[in-house]
Amino acid sequence: MNSEFSAVPITKHVYWVGAIDWNIRDFHGYATSRGTTYNAYLIMDKKITLIDTVKRPFFPEMLARIRSVVDPSKIDIIVSNHAEMDHSGSLPEAIELIRPEQVYASSMGTAALQDHFHWKTKVLPVKDQEKISLGELELQFFETRMLHWPDSMFTWIAKEKLLFSQDAFGMHLASARRFADELPETRLIEEGAKYFANILLPYAPLIPKLIERCRQLGLNAEIIAPDHGPIFRQDLGAVLERYLQWSAQKPTDKIVIVYDTMWESTHMLARQLEEQFQRLGHPVRVLNLHVAHRSDVITELLDAGAICVGSPTLNNQMFPTLADFLTYAAGLKPQHLLGLAFGSYGWSGESIKKVADALTSMGVEVLGSCKCKYRPDEETRTRCRHLATELSNALRAKLEQG
Ligand code: FEO
């Protein structure tokens, strides 16, 4: 069938019919420097089924890919695994065009879609572990509440050992390749970690429980088809292991220094801390928020043991980029970090305490602070070095205790 875009076969019955967004660079505050994909899947069985849709502007692309396999009006069922608009934004148009027999979502998904669209469309709520037959294949639904929205669910095809995992195991990575094994592993790990840190981190403690539950329920997947990025069909053990590792947020001796600066004084303190950590043998990342994006800083924290946050005082406040970063980080709730606050000031110097308080309220164990009036002198530099050494000793002691 001639079509502007083509579907990509995944299994005998399942096709990828999603869309590639090469140009997106900001996904609700997350810098998506490699774009993304919105994955939707077509299941060709007696009951033809569409799993998820795509972000609204990409509806024509999804439709064209479906048309390369089947007339969209032949689709009988639509399943919405996740109500967020990058997957449900074109659901109303899809329903209007397709007029499916049935639309399914989790009970929370049904409510969320209603709250989004204020529509008269009837969406049938499915229960956790409920099954529906498509003919040769059977779909089974698993609620995955708070991974990462209350409505989120997985859809499982036992006969094909295929798990539609919605956002879980996804990544923001636009590519002409549909399968993870066609892409460099380093890129998959880098973008997978960034996605985990910026989307799933607040719910990390739920992930080992979910993976264990999937094992107990016999979901021995051979294909994981997420809603963003490539599809995994090889070495799924490594994919799960990476999720368990990121969920644990086990601290290492890596230290992240994040700051901004007005007249280079806070920058000089940052460099002094960096120098001392280097001398003490720590891997260090230095990120100036003037050029580093908040989502890259969070990614660096995934395997860090400590964070040092520096801000000048501007009009009695912390610098705006620090307020931005600390607000973002507080929502993502990174765990198990030690910390320091530092910064420069001219006459009042509130920013350092504000930074320390913000770190403490997000669960960072703040060991001290270092500030300088106008310009760091030798006494301030010495104080910085001592503080860095104290932090290093505390971190090493913590790592030794396991
Ligand atoms: Fe990809 Fe939670 O949406």
Side-chain angles (χ1 to χ4, degrees):
M1 207 179 285
N2 285 330
S3 174
E4 186 184 0
F5 294 103
S6 296
V8 178
I10 306 297
T11 65
K12 182 179 157 200
H13 295 90
V14 177
Y15 294 83
W16 176 84
V17 290
I20 307 173
D21 187 348
W22 293 98
N23 299 322
I24 187 170
R25 289 294 178 269
D26 184 305
F27 190 96
H28 61 49
Y30 166 164
T32 47
S33 55
R34 288 187 170 121
T36 194
T37 66
Y38 312 108
N39 298 339
Y41 299 94
L42 181 71
I43 307 171
M44 295 301 293
D45 200 344
K46 191 168 172 214
K47 295 280 186 195
I48 299 173
T49 301
L50 179 64
I51 305 283
D52 286 323
T53 64
V54 294
K55 195 173 169 182
R56 196 173 175 189
F58 294 85
F59 180 60
E61 182 173 338
M62 179 185 78
L63 215 52
R65 293 191 197 277
I66 294 170
R67 280 200 182 105
S68 73
V69 179
V70 69
D71 179 345
S73 67
K74 305 280 188 216
I75 292 172
D76 301 288
I77 292 169
I78 300 179
V79 174
S80 170
N81 275 334
H82 182 22
E84 194 162 6
M85 288 297 103
D86 47 335
H87 311 297
S88 295
S90 57
L91 188 57
E93 283 91 341
I95 291 170
E96 177 73 22
L97 184 96
I98 293 168
R99 302 197 175 276
E101 276 173 31
Q102 200 59 263
V103 181
Y104 294 106
S106 67
S107 57
M108 301 289 268
T110 304
L113 291 170
Q114 180 62 38
D115 289 341
H116 268 291
F117 298 124
H118 307 288
W119 58 10
K120 295 197 179 359
T121 302
K122 187 168 160 29
V123 178
L124 202 67
V126 288
K127 294 189 183 72
D128 185 50
Q129 298 187 52
E130 188 173 332
K131 295 178 182 177
I132 61 167
S133 174
L134 304 183
E136 197 177 324
L137 304 175
E138 195 172 58
L139 298 184
Q140 188 172 18
F141 307 106
F142 294 92
E143 287 190 349
T144 62
R145 288 189 186 192
M146 300 319 299
L147 286 170
H148 71 120
W149 272 23
D151 64 280
S152 303
M153 71 175 187
F154 288 172
T155 298
W156 166 242
I157 307 179
K159 195 163 182 183
E160 305 223 303
K161 296 193 167 150
L162 193 162
L163 182 70
F164 299 107
S165 63
Q166 39 92 23
D167 281 337
F169 308 110
M171 65 187 72
H172 288 313
L173 175 59
S175 168
R177 304 288 180 189
R178 297 278 62 81
F179 295 99
D181 49 273
E182 299 170 323
L183 291 160
E185 191 180 23
T186 48
R187 192 174 308 161
L188 299 175
I189 294 173
E190 187 184 329
E191 293 298 343
K194 185 170 183 182
Y195 190 89
F196 188 99
N198 285 277
I199 301 288
L200 296 169
L201 197 62
Y203 315 107
L206 300 176
I207 286 168
K209 293 176 193 165
L210 176 67
I211 290 177
E212 182 54 31
R213 181 168 183 253
C214 288
R215 280 187 180 135
Q216 285 174 4
L217 291 169
L219 272 67
N220 51 339
E222 290 182 358
I223 301 173
I224 295 179
D227 271 357
H228 298 287
I231 295 157
F232 296 93
R233 61 183 176 182
Q234 288 180 14
D235 207 6
L236 298 196
V239 176
L240 297 180
E241 197 46 51
R242 284 200 287 271
Y243 258 52
L244 290 171
Q245 182 195 326
W246 294 329
S247 301
Q249 294 178 74
K250 197 170 171 205
T252 68
D253 64 347
K254 174 178 151 185
I255 296 174
V256 174
I257 300 172
V258 52
Y259 71 101
D260 207 336
T261 196
M262 284 171 67
W263 295 106
E264 300 298 308
S265 295
T266 305
H267 170 75
M268 291 162 81
L269 297 178
R271 296 303 312 271
Q272 191 65 138
L273 288 167
E274 173 208 345
E275 184 64 18
Q276 186 66 0
F277 290 134
Q278 299 272 18
R279 286 174 189 151
L280 295 167
H282 291 272
V284 188
R285 300 284 183 278
V286 181
L287 297 144
N288 181 339
L289 288 169
H290 191 66
V291 291
H293 195 273
R294 64 176 91 83
S295 51
D296 291 318
V297 181
I298 288 292
T299 309
E300 289 290 351
L301 291 180
L302 205 52
D303 63 349
I307 179 172
C308 302
V309 180
S311 173
T313 296
L314 176 65
N315 297 327
N316 310 109
Q317 302 295 327
M318 68 175 83
F319 209 62
T321 47
L322 270 299
D324 174 296
F325 166 70
L326 288 167
T327 302
Y328 189 71
L332 292 169
K333 303 182 176 68
Q335 303 287 308
H336 314 309
L337 293 168
L338 302 181
L340 297 179
F342 65 97
S344 62
Y345 67 100
W347 52 96
S348 52
E350 291 90 342
S351 67
I352 296 92
K353 182 170 186 315
K354 284 179 188 287
V355 165
D357 289 349
L359 287 172
T360 302
S361 70
M362 61 187 254
V364 175
E365 188 183 340
V366 179
L367 300 184
S369 63
C370 174
K371 60 182 177 180
C372 73
K373 190 166 188 179
Y374 290 113
R375 216 66 174 162
D377 57 9
E378 191 43 46
E379 192 182 331
T380 311
R381 290 175 201 274
T382 304
R383 162 96 181 128
C384 258
R385 288 194 292 271
H386 284 163
L387 255 184
T389 304
E390 282 172 31
L391 180 69
S392 170
N393 290 340
L395 179 55
R396 291 247 154 83
K398 182 176 169 178
L399 297 178
E400 268 175 32
Q401 286 165 9

